[in-house]
């Protein structure tokens, strides 16, 4: 989260609603460690990253959803046979993200 | 808003003060199943020697999580911990994400030489707070080491008398003076600290000579064995920049416990 503090602060000052996605757990090979964070504003601005670019697009969608319904939840991305067409990581790992509105 | 958790967290991180943020990120499946008073998203901000800010919703849970968060903070680790509703350790009702924001690790570089300039630059990329120390005021200048956070004109062992007790496993000391007059007292002082990495630069002959002098000063063989000398991995590095990479790579390998060939454990030419 450290790298995006400046963006978060600026958006808060501007009164924008922001969703925060943080890597809380990884299994197997994951590009970013727990603590890696990405933030998305209601108007679609993005800061930070949670993978090597594999799932960021999907995280934007999930984040906007989270701003819309105010939900706080864990979202998992990874490759498995029955989800072969879902968004996955090219490295074969699985990452668990915790998403929430930055309202604290 | 000045007392919000985010603002307090941001202020602590910017001041490089240690701080940990604990968040309930999941309950047992259906969020509605969470025990009364607990909810996903509840937070507590933990700082050593300061009152915690916020609450996870239950005093007993708070107490246990504060203790664990302080532990994660001193180790510099971040991850999920599982608890029962009142902080019971062997239950898996709650998943609490504890994120540590430890102050940056420190690298002390002794010797104001060209290798120091390159090493301070690479160390900054890796997130170290870098201090360069040399007793010669002509060489130990901020102009020569623009990437260092601090340039200290003093004998390294005297600097260590002051800051040595605060150094820990995440910190590194690199002795690049390769002059026995500075090296020997610096290494002896460095051996008294708890740093996770102690490396000393020099040719294989310089290293042998230094080891002999250290032994004469009463340093035991077990202690000598903890010094990475000649410093760095056996990469065939030539330039100061390449040498800096080989030193930083050795630090990473030592921390992760992976097998990478340290110059200490190889023989033959250091430079390709």
């Amino acid at each position: 989260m450290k790298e995006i503090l400046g963006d978060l602060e600026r958006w808060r000052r501007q009164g924008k609603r922001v969703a925060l996605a943080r890597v809380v757990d990884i299994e197997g090979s994951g590009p970013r460690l727990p603590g890696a964070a990405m933030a998305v504003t209601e108007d679609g601005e993005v800061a930070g990253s949670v993978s090597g670019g594999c799932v960021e697009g999907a995280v934007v969608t999930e984040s906007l959803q989270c701003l819309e319904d105010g939900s706080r939840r864990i979202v998992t991305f990874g490759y498995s046979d029955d989800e072969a067409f879902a968004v996955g990581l090219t490295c074969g790992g699985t990452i668990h993200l915790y998403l929430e509105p930055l309202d604290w | 808003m000045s007392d919000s958790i985010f603002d307090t967290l941001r202020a602590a991180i910017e001041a490089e003060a240690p701080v940990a943020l604990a968040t309930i990120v999941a309950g047992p499946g259906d969020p509605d199943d969470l025990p009364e008073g607990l909810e996903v998203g509840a937070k507590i901000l933990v700082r050593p020697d300061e009152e915690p800010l916020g609450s996870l919703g239950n005093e007993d849970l708070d107490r246990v999580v504060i203790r664990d968060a302080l532990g994660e903070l001193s180790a510099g680790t971040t991850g999920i911990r599982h608890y029962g509703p009142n902080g019971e350790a062997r239950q898996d009702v709650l998943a609490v994400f504890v994120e540590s924001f430890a102050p940056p690790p420190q690298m002390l570089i002794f010797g104001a030489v060209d290798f120091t300039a390159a090493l301070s630059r690479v160390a900054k990329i890796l997130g170290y707070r870098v201090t360069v120390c040399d007793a010669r005021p002509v060489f130990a200048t901020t102009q020569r080491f623009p990437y260092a956070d601090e340039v200290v004109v003093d004998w390294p062992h005297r600097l260590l008398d002051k800051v040595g007790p605060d150094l820990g496993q995440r910190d590194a000391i690199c002795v690049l003076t390769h002059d026995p007059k500075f090296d020997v007292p610096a290494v002896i002082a460095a051996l008294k600290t708890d740093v996770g990495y102690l490396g000393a630069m020099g040719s294989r002959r310089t290293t042998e000579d230094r080891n002999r002098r250290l032994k004469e000063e009463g340093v035991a063989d077990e202690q000598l064995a903890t010094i990475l000398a000649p410093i760095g991995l056996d990469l065939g590095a030539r330039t100061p920049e390449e040498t800096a990479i080989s030193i930083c790579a050795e630090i990473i390998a030592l921390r992760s416990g992976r097998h990478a060939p340290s110059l200490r454990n190889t023989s033959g030419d250091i430079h390709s």
Side-chain angles (χ1 to χ4, degrees):
Chain A
M1 201 191 313
K2 206 169 174 174
E3 305 76 28
I4 61 173
L5 279 178
D7 292 297
L8 295 179
E9 170 63 13
R10 181 165 44 86
W11 290 334
R12 277 164 74 92
R13 263 205 322 269
Q14 293 169 348
K16 288 187 181 180
R17 292 165 63 229
V18 179
L20 183 65
R22 288 183 278 165
V23 177
V24 294
D25 202 7
I26 53 176
E27 293 163 48
S29 168
R32 300 291 310 269
L33 291 172
M38 172 174 159
V40 180
T41 65
E42 55 190 325
D43 50 357
E45 274 192 87
V46 177
S49 82
V50 290
S51 74
C54 314
V55 303
E56 275 71 7
V59 173
V60 171
T61 310
E62 295 282 348
S63 297
L64 292 173
Q65 180 68 42
C66 147
L67 284 180
E68 203 168 299
D69 61 17
S71 59
R72 302 172 189 275
R73 60 205 154 89
I74 288 187
V75 179
T76 297
F77 294 104
Y79 184 85
S80 72
D81 282 340
D82 43 341
E83 298 175 4
F85 296 101
V87 177
L89 294 161
T90 49
C91 53
T94 301
I95 60 174
H96 302 279
L97 305 176
Y98 171 68
L99 269 78
E100 66 177 353
L102 180 62
D103 56 2
W104 37 274
Chain B
M1 283 298 278
S2 63
D3 283 329
S4 81
I5 288 184
F6 176 79
D7 288 333
T8 309
L9 172 68
R10 187 176 56 85
I13 292 173
E14 284 174 356
E16 294 188 345
V19 59
L21 177 66
T23 307
I24 298 182
V25 295
D30 191 335
D32 295 338
D33 289 348
L34 271 176
E36 189 157 341
L38 301 179
E39 56 183 33
V40 170
K43 289 179 176 59
I44 188 163
L45 192 75
V46 179
R47 292 162 291 172
D49 309 320
E50 299 224 32
E51 284 295 302
L53 187 64
S55 169
L56 298 181
N58 170 320
E59 274 182 24
D60 293 326
L61 177 63
D62 281 348
R63 197 165 47 240
V64 175
V65 170
I66 288 168
R67 184 198 65 198
D68 291 350
L70 288 172
E72 299 258 2
L73 193 53
S74 66
T77 50
T78 283
I80 286 192
R81 302 183 72 103
H82 298 278
Y83 300 98
N86 300 302
E88 296 88 339
R90 283 183 191 77
Q91 294 184 29
D92 186 6
V93 178
L94 297 171
V96 176
F97 180 57
V98 179
E99 184 168 8
S100 297
F101 300 87
Q106 294 203 58
M107 181 185 287
L108 271 52
I109 311 175
F110 298 153
V113 297
D114 281 353
F115 290 98
T116 304
L119 179 56
S120 58
R121 190 173 179 185
V122 175
K124 284 310 291 178
I125 291 174
L126 291 181
Y128 283 94
R129 185 183 187 283
V130 176
T131 302
V132 171
C133 174
D134 192 306
R136 303 165 300 174
V138 183
F139 296 110
T141 64
T142 50
Q143 287 76 25
R144 295 189 69 216
F145 305 104
Y147 294 97
D149 295 280
E150 196 179 358
V151 177
V152 177
V153 182
D154 201 348
W155 283 68
H157 65 276
R158 295 214 320 219
L159 174 69
L160 281 180
D161 284 344
K162 275 181 266 175
V163 305
D166 296 329
L167 298 173
Q169 281 298 303
R170 300 163 63 232
D171 303 317
I173 295 177
C174 301
V175 182
L176 307 190
T177 40
H178 53 70
D179 174 340
K181 185 164 79 243
F182 292 99
D183 272 17
V184 170
V187 170
I188 289 173
L191 284 168
K192 292 176 188 150
T193 69
D194 288 329
V195 289
Y197 179 91
L198 168 58
M201 179 174 271
S203 66
R204 297 200 183 277
R205 211 174 62 194
T206 302
T207 300
E208 271 180 38
D209 177 57
R210 187 195 305 114
N211 284 349
R212 185 179 52 76
R213 289 166 185 269
L214 288 168
K215 275 189 181 178
E216 284 169 9
E217 295 290 327
V219 174
D221 286 339
E222 307 88 78
Q223 284 184 297
L224 276 186
T226 63
I227 307 167
L228 278 300
I231 197 169
L233 291 186
D234 191 2
L235 302 180
R238 277 233 76 104
T239 63
E241 290 74 19
E242 290 177 356
T243 303
I245 297 282
S246 99
I247 294 169
C248 287
E250 186 173 54
I251 293 174
I252 296 169
L254 189 72
R255 187 200 60 210
S256 62
R258 297 300 178 97
H259 296 291
S262 278
L263 283 166
R264 181 182 64 180
N265 306 327
T266 61
S267 57
D269 291 344
I270 289 178
H271 303 291
S272 62

